[in-house]
Amino acid sequence: MGILSKFKRFIQQSKDKSTKDLFNNLLTVLSNPEDEFVYVRTLSLVDESHPDPIKDSIVENLKLHLKVISGEVEQEEILDILFQLSQSWDLLSYDLDNKGMHKEAKIAEMFKHLTANVIEVLTLQKNTPFRLARCAEIAEEFFEKDLLKSFCYTTGVSFLQFSSLVNDDITKKNFLEEATHYHKLAISLSEDIDEAYALNSNSLGIIFLQLSEIEMDKTKKRELVQDAINSMKEALDAVLLLSDIEKIEDFSISVAHAYSKLIALDVSLRIKKDAYQAMIKYYHKALEIAQEKNKVSDQIEYEYSIGSIFLYLAGIENDIKKRTGYISEAELYFQRVTEIAQKHKHLEGLQDYLKGLEEFGYSLFLEIVETEPTIEGKKILLEKLIRIRENTYQVNSELKSSNKRELLQETKTISEMYEKLTNMYLNLSAKSMTLRKAVEFQSKSLEYALVLKDIAEVRERSNILSNQIEWLITVESNISVMQDLLMSAIQTFKNLLSIINTLNDKTVEEVSYCTLALLQSVFAVNEPDSEEKNSKLTSALNFSSEGLKRAIENKNAQGIARNYYVMGTILTNVLSYTDQLQKENLYIKAKNCLYESLKLSFSMNDEKQSQKCYQVLGRLSMSFSKVSEAQDKIEIMEEALGYWDKALEIALKLNDFVSLPIYSFAAGKCWFAYTKLENDPRIQSNYCSNALQKFDETIKYGRRLGNTDIMLKASENMLDVMAFENKVLLETKTQIRTFKID
C-alpha cells in the first residue's frame, strides 16, 4: 500500500477546505520539502468530493511529490515525473496569475523552481542554485521569515555544492561568495540558537575553507581558515547547547579538519603545536560519543587519527622528553585501534588504517628516529615503532583477505628495523635478543616469498637471513639461547632446498647449502658426544662442498668467497677434534680455503669478509701451533699475531665493537704463548707487556659491551701473565711488576 492510503483518514477527516488555507499550508511544504507528513497534512485540507481545477491540479502534484520522496517511484521514472511536475506547476502559476491570485501564483512558481532544482541536481546542471535563490526572493516578498530562512540555507548549500563542479577559480569564488551571503542571511534571521543556526554556521565554515583553497594571498588565506575554525566552533557550541549528539560528533570532526588546514599553512611552530593539540581535543569529543553509541568503525577511525596527530606532534617537537611522550601516546592509540578491531571482530575494516599507517606513519617515525640526537633516544623511539609495527602485522596476518605480498613487506621491514636496533646496542645480551627477532621476521618474509613463488624475493630474503644467522652466531656464544631458532633455520633452508631444486636456481641453492654448513658446524662445536660431533662436522663439510660447487657454477665471486670461508672455518673446527696424523693436512686445506676467500675479498674490496678470514686464520694458526715442532711453533705464532692484528685493524675501521674484545683477547693469548717460546728474559718481559696490554684492551672493550665473561677471562689471564713474568724477574733479580685490575 502507498503512503497516501496509509494516511487516508487524515484526508477523510478534513474540515477546512478553503483555497487560502491550502496555499498557506503549501508554504509549510516548501519549508519541509522532504517531510512526508507535511504533504499528507496539506492533502487533508482538500475535499476531493467537490472538484475544483486548481485544487485538483495541486492534489495531483502533491501526490506525485509524495511518491517521489517516499520511494514509491522506480529510479528510471523519477526524471520523467519531475519534468511532468515542473511543467504542471508552471501552467498552474500562469493560470493563477491570470486570475489575479498573484501570491498563489508565486507559490506555484516556487514549487516549479523547487522541482526544476531537483532535476538539475540529478543532471548536474550549474544553474540549479539560482532557482533556489529565486524561491528565497519570493519568500522574502511574502515576508515569510521561516520559509526565507529555510530557502537561504538550501540555496547556500546548493551554491557550495555546485562550486565544486566549476573549473575556473573566478566562477568558483562567485558561487562560494553567493553561498556565504545566503548562509549569513539565514543566521541573521535566527532569533535563537537553533538547529538552523548550527547548520548555517557549519556550512559557513566549510565555505571559508573552500575560499582559502583558491586564495593566493597568504594573509587572507590564513584569515579565511581562522574564520572557518570560528564558524565551525560556533556551530559546535550550538549543537552542544541543543544536545544534538549526532551533530556534536560530526561538527567536532569538522573543527578538527579546519585546524588541519591551519597547520598546512606557513605558520609558526607554536601555532602548529596549538593546532595539533586542538585537533586532539575535538577528536576526543567525537571519540567519546562514538564510545557511548558503541560505533566501532568510528572509534577505530578516531583512535587512529589521534595517534597520527601525536606522531605529527613528535615530528615537530625539539624537546626530547616531550617528543618521547608524544611517541608513547601515539603507540597507545595505535595499540587501542588494533585492540578494538580484534575485540569486535572488525579486522577487515582495520585494513585502511593499517595502510594509512604504512604510507605516512612509519616514514615519519623513522624520520623522527633519524633526527633524534642521542643513541639512547633513537633506541627508545625505534623500539616503540617496532612494537606498533608488530601489532599491525599481527592484525594483518589474521585477516582472511590479507595480502601475502603486503605481509612479506611488513615482515621484511620489521626484520630490517630489528637489525637497525641491533646496531644501536653495545650490550651483547641486547644485541642477541634483537638479532634473534630480526632472524625470526626474516624467516617469515622468506616463507611468504616462497608462497608467492617470487624467486627474486626468495634470493634476497634467503641471502639476508643467512647473513643475519652468521651475525647472530658471532654475537651469541650460548647455543642454548638460540638453539630453537637455529634448528628452525636448518629446517627452513632444508625446505627451501627441496622447493628450489625443482626450479634449478643455483644462487638460492648456494646460499642454502652454505648456511646449512655454517649451522651444522655450530651445532657440531657444541656437541658433547664425539661420534655425533664428527657426524655433524662431516655433514657440514658436505653442505659446504655443495655450496661451493653451486657458487662456482654460478660464477658468483661473493658466493665462492663465502663458501671457501665457511669451509675453512669448518676445517679449523675439525682440526681441533682429529688425530695428530691428519692435523697438518687439515691445516693446509683450511689455510688454502681461507686464502682463496681472502683473495676474492680483496678483489671485491669486501673488508668485512677479509676481517672474518683473518679471524679464522688466527684461530687456525693458534690451534695448529699447539701440535707443531718448536721452530715451527714460533713461525706459526708470528703468523697468528699478524692475522689478529689485521682483524683488529679492520674491526676498528668498521666500528665492529663486538669483535674487538674477541680479537684483543686472542692476541693477548697469542703473545703469552709466544712468550713461553722465548728464552731471553728481556724479550720475555716485552712479550708479557704486549700480552698485558691486549688483555687490558679486552677488558676495556668488554666493559663497553657488558661482556663480563670475556672480562673475567682477560683478568684471569693477566694474573697468569704477571705470575709468569714475576717468576722470570725473580730469577734474573729484576724488579717485580705489580698490576691493578679493575
Side-chain angles (χ1 to χ4, degrees):
M1 291 178 67
I3 192 162
L4 288 178
S5 300
K6 294 177 186 175
F7 291 101
K8 192 174 181 181
R9 67 180 182 278
F10 287 110
I11 296 170
Q12 292 173 340
Q13 293 169 1
S14 169
K15 294 178 182 178
D16 186 352
K17 303 175 180 60
S18 71
T19 303
K20 183 180 177 182
D21 284 343
L22 174 62
F23 275 97
N24 284 336
N25 271 270
L26 287 178
L27 292 175
T28 308
V29 174
L30 286 166
S31 297
N32 304 275
E34 295 180 6
D35 188 335
E36 296 174 1
F37 189 76
V38 174
Y39 285 90
V40 174
R41 191 171 59 222
T42 304
L43 285 166
S44 72
L45 298 172
V46 181
D47 185 355
E48 294 184 272
S49 64
H50 293 79
D52 178 279
I54 292 174
K55 289 182 180 179
D56 289 348
S57 181
I58 291 171
V59 166
E60 289 307 312
N61 286 354
L62 289 179
K63 285 180 179 179
L64 283 174
H65 274 291
L66 189 55
K67 282 186 177 181
V68 170
I69 68 168
S70 63
E72 290 186 27
V73 179
E74 296 294 329
Q75 193 70 31
E76 58 270 16
E77 297 176 4
I78 287 177
L79 273 176
D80 289 339
I81 291 175
L82 290 172
F83 277 120
Q84 179 186 331
L85 279 167
S86 181
Q87 290 171 0
S88 178
W89 285 117
D90 194 27
L91 288 170
L92 185 58
S93 175
Y94 179 78
D95 289 343
L96 289 166
D97 200 45
N98 284 339
K99 291 181 179 181
M101 300 172 69
H102 302 301
K103 181 176 180 180
E104 288 78 1
K106 294 288 186 184
I107 292 172
E109 183 189 346
M110 291 169 79
F111 270 102
K112 179 191 78 172
H113 288 303
L114 195 65
T115 308
N117 168 64
V118 178
I119 295 169
E120 288 160 2
V121 167
L122 292 173
T123 57
L124 297 178
Q125 295 180 44
K126 300 181 183 67
N127 60 330
T128 182
F130 297 102
R131 291 194 177 276
L132 293 171
R134 176 63 186 142
C135 291
E137 288 172 13
I138 295 170
E140 193 170 17
E141 289 174 22
F142 297 159
F143 302 104
E144 290 288 342
K145 186 177 176 182
D146 289 339
L147 186 60
L148 174 58
K149 187 164 69 170
S150 174
F151 271 115
C152 281
Y153 172 71
T154 54
T155 305
V157 169
S158 185
F159 271 115
L160 173 59
Q161 288 173 339
F162 277 83
S163 69
S164 63
L165 299 177
V166 296
N167 296 321
D168 65 289
D169 286 350
I170 294 173
T171 308
K172 185 189 284 286
K173 187 175 182 181
N174 290 337
F175 270 51
L176 291 170
E177 285 174 346
E178 286 291 334
T180 303
H181 164 73
Y182 283 102
H183 282 302
K184 283 185 174 179
L185 182 56
I187 289 171
S188 70
L189 294 168
S190 294
E191 295 177 357
D192 299 310
I193 302 296
D194 56 10
E195 184 184 20
Y197 177 88
L199 290 170
N200 281 287
S201 296
N202 192 62
S203 289
L204 260 182
I206 295 168
I207 294 163
F208 289 140
L209 287 181
Q210 293 291 319
L211 283 168
S212 73
E213 294 292 330
I214 57 176
E215 179 58 62
M216 301 305 292
D217 184 273
K218 289 184 178 179
T219 303
K220 289 180 180 177
K221 185 187 282 282
R222 182 175 164 185
E223 287 172 354
L224 283 165
V225 173
Q226 191 59 57
D227 287 342
I229 291 170
N230 294 339
S231 289
M232 288 175 170
K233 284 169 80 171
E234 285 178 13
L236 179 58
D237 288 342
V239 292
L240 282 166
L241 189 66
L242 297 167
S243 300
D244 189 335
I245 300 299
E246 285 292 337
K247 287 189 174 61
I248 291 171
E249 182 181 350
D250 293 341
F251 289 2
S252 295
I253 298 302
S254 295
V255 178
H257 175 68
Y259 272 111
S260 74
K261 294 294 182 182
L262 181 63
I263 291 164
L265 301 178
D266 186 19
V267 293
S268 69
L269 198 62
R270 181 71 266 158
I271 290 173
K272 283 182 187 286
K273 288 180 181 179
D274 290 345
Y276 277 131
Q277 293 290 1
M279 286 180 72
I280 291 168
K281 171 186 170 184
Y282 288 105
Y283 266 114
H284 262 298
K285 280 186 186 294
L287 178 60
E288 286 169 9
I289 293 168
Q291 288 169 336
E292 284 174 18
K293 303 189 80 173
N294 200 29
K295 294 161 72 175
V296 177
S297 294
D298 288 349
Q299 285 182 60
I300 290 172
E301 179 186 344
Y302 303 152
E303 295 270 13
Y304 171 81
S305 297
I306 296 170
S308 302
I309 295 164
F310 273 117
L311 205 53
Y312 280 126
L313 259 175
I316 61 170
E317 182 56 65
N318 294 320
D319 183 277
I320 296 170
K321 189 174 181 181
K322 284 184 180 178
R323 177 190 281 188
T324 306
Y326 293 146
I327 295 290
S328 297
E329 289 289 343
E331 181 188 5
L332 182 67
Y333 281 96
F334 290 141
Q335 174 64 26
R336 279 212 284 260
V337 167
T338 55
E339 286 174 359
I340 293 167
Q342 287 171 321
K343 179 181 176 183
H344 296 277
K345 308 299 181 188
H346 204 277
L347 299 180
E348 300 298 330
L350 187 60
Q351 275 187 311
D352 288 341
Y353 300 106
L354 298 183
K355 285 178 182 174
L357 194 58
E358 175 76 36
E359 286 168 8
F360 93 93
Y362 298 141
S363 58
L364 175 62
F365 219 135
L366 284 171
E367 190 179 313
I368 294 167
V369 172
E370 293 301 326
T371 57
E372 169 61 39
T374 67
I375 291 292
E376 198 58 37
K378 285 181 189 290
K379 283 191 292 189
I380 292 169
L381 294 175
L382 192 55
E383 283 169 350
K384 291 180 182 299
L385 174 56
I386 290 170
R387 280 199 295 273
I388 293 170
R389 189 118 197 192
E390 281 195 71
N391 285 335
T392 55
Y393 163 71
Q394 186 61 40
V395 173
N396 256 339
S397 64
E398 293 173 17
L399 295 173
K400 291 179 182 176
S401 61
S402 61
N403 185 306
K404 292 292 186 289
R405 177 75 55 187
E406 290 176 4
L407 293 175
L408 185 152
Q409 291 299 323
E410 282 203 34
T411 48
K412 178 169 73 173
T413 304
I414 294 170
S415 179
E416 287 168 0
M417 289 193 292
Y418 269 119
E419 215 177 290
K420 193 179 186 76
L421 188 59
T422 302
N423 283 318
M424 291 180 184
Y425 277 109
L426 290 174
N427 182 275
L428 280 181
S429 177
K431 271 185 179 292
S432 172
M433 183 176 65
T434 53
L435 199 46
R436 291 200 301 273
K437 294 294 286 184
V439 168
E440 176 190 331
F441 279 95
Q442 197 65 240
S443 298
K444 290 180 189 293
S445 71
L446 177 56
E447 288 170 18
Y448 290 126
L450 284 167
V451 170
L452 292 165
K453 297 181 180 177
D454 187 333
I455 299 303
E457 280 290 355
V458 169
R459 284 175 185 165
E460 188 176 353
R461 297 304 106 226
S462 58
N463 191 50
I464 292 173
L465 179 57
S466 177
N467 291 334
Q468 287 177 342
I469 288 169
E470 187 180 344
W471 186 11
L472 177 61
I473 290 165
T474 63
V475 167
E476 181 57 71
S477 57
N478 185 355
I479 187 71
S480 62
V481 171
M482 53 182 178
Q483 185 161 351
D484 290 344
L485 191 65
L486 297 186
M487 287 297 293
S488 176
I490 286 175
Q491 194 56 52
T492 297
F493 280 101
K494 282 183 176 179
N495 291 342
L496 183 57
L497 274 177
S498 65
I499 295 168
I500 217 72
N501 277 336
T502 60
L503 301 173
N504 195 29
D505 191 301
K506 297 284 193 298
T507 302
V508 178
E509 285 182 31
E510 176 267 310
V511 170
S512 300
Y513 280 122
C514 184
T515 309
L516 285 167
L518 187 66
L519 289 166
Q520 286 285 47
S521 177
V522 170
F523 279 111
V525 169
N526 291 276
E527 177 57 57
D529 183 81
S530 59
E531 190 174 327
E532 188 63 27
K533 184 190 291 288
N534 288 331
S535 173
K536 286 178 178 174
L537 284 170
T538 302
S539 174
L541 281 171
N542 290 337
F543 281 132
S544 182
S545 297
E546 290 295 327
L548 182 58
K549 179 182 172 184
R550 300 303 190 282
I552 292 169
E553 288 173 2
N554 211 31
K555 296 179 181 178
N556 181 349
Q558 193 172 38
I560 295 168
R562 176 171 54 215
N563 279 278
Y564 268 128
Y565 159 73
V566 171
M567 188 174 284
T569 303
I570 297 166
L571 289 169
T572 300
N573 292 335
V574 172
L575 187 140
S576 303
Y577 309 112
T578 193
D579 57 58
Q580 184 68 30
L581 293 173
Q582 294 181 326
K583 284 188 184 292
E584 186 171 355
N585 187 36
L586 284 169
Y587 169 70
I588 294 167
K589 283 183 179 180
K591 190 173 181 181
N592 288 340
C593 286
L594 293 165
Y595 266 59
E596 286 296 326
S597 180
L598 199 55
K599 281 191 292 184
L600 286 166
S601 68
F602 289 158
S603 67
M604 295 182 294
N605 198 28
D606 187 343
E607 291 187 309
K608 188 65 185 175
Q609 185 64 35
S610 299
Q611 177 192 327
K612 292 191 295 184
C613 288
Y614 283 128
Q615 175 186 350
V616 181
L617 280 165
R619 280 180 50 220
L620 175 66
S621 296
M622 287 179 71
S623 181
F624 187 60
S625 69
K626 295 174 183 176
V627 295
S628 303
E629 298 295 329
Q631 189 55 43
D632 291 336
K633 268 187 198 294
I634 294 172
E635 187 179 330
I636 294 169
M637 200 60 69
E638 286 174 350
E639 282 184 1
L641 284 168
Y643 296 142
W644 290 121
D645 284 344
K646 285 285 187 184
L648 268 167
E649 182 185 329
I650 298 172
L652 282 165
K653 185 178 179 181
L654 299 178
N655 293 323
D656 182 1
F657 300 112
V658 173
S659 298
L660 287 175
I662 297 169
Y663 299 165
S664 293
F665 181 74
K669 292 275 287 182
C670 208
W671 274 113
F672 189 32
Y674 199 14
T675 301
K676 295 174 181 177
L677 299 175
E678 184 57 57
N679 295 318
D680 188 326
R682 287 172 300 177
I683 296 174
Q684 283 182 320
S685 182
N686 287 336
Y687 288 175
C688 283
S689 295
N690 291 342
L692 290 169
Q693 181 186 341
K694 290 299 177 185
F695 290 133
D696 190 40
E697 287 175 5
T698 303
I699 292 170
K700 181 180 71 175
Y701 294 139
R703 184 179 292 116
R704 185 173 186 178
L705 294 171
N707 190 346
T708 53
D709 184 51
I710 204 164
M711 289 167 64
L712 286 170
K713 287 179 180 177
S715 299
E716 290 168 0
N717 276 270
M718 286 178 83
L719 292 171
D720 291 341
V721 172
M722 286 188 290
F724 179 84
E725 184 183 17
N726 286 333
K727 180 183 175 185
V728 171
L729 294 175
L730 279 170
E731 289 172 356
T732 57
K733 298 182 180 178
T734 311
Q735 185 176 352
I736 295 174
R737 179 195 294 270
T738 57
F739 201 88
K740 181 182 177 183
I741 300 175
D742 293 332

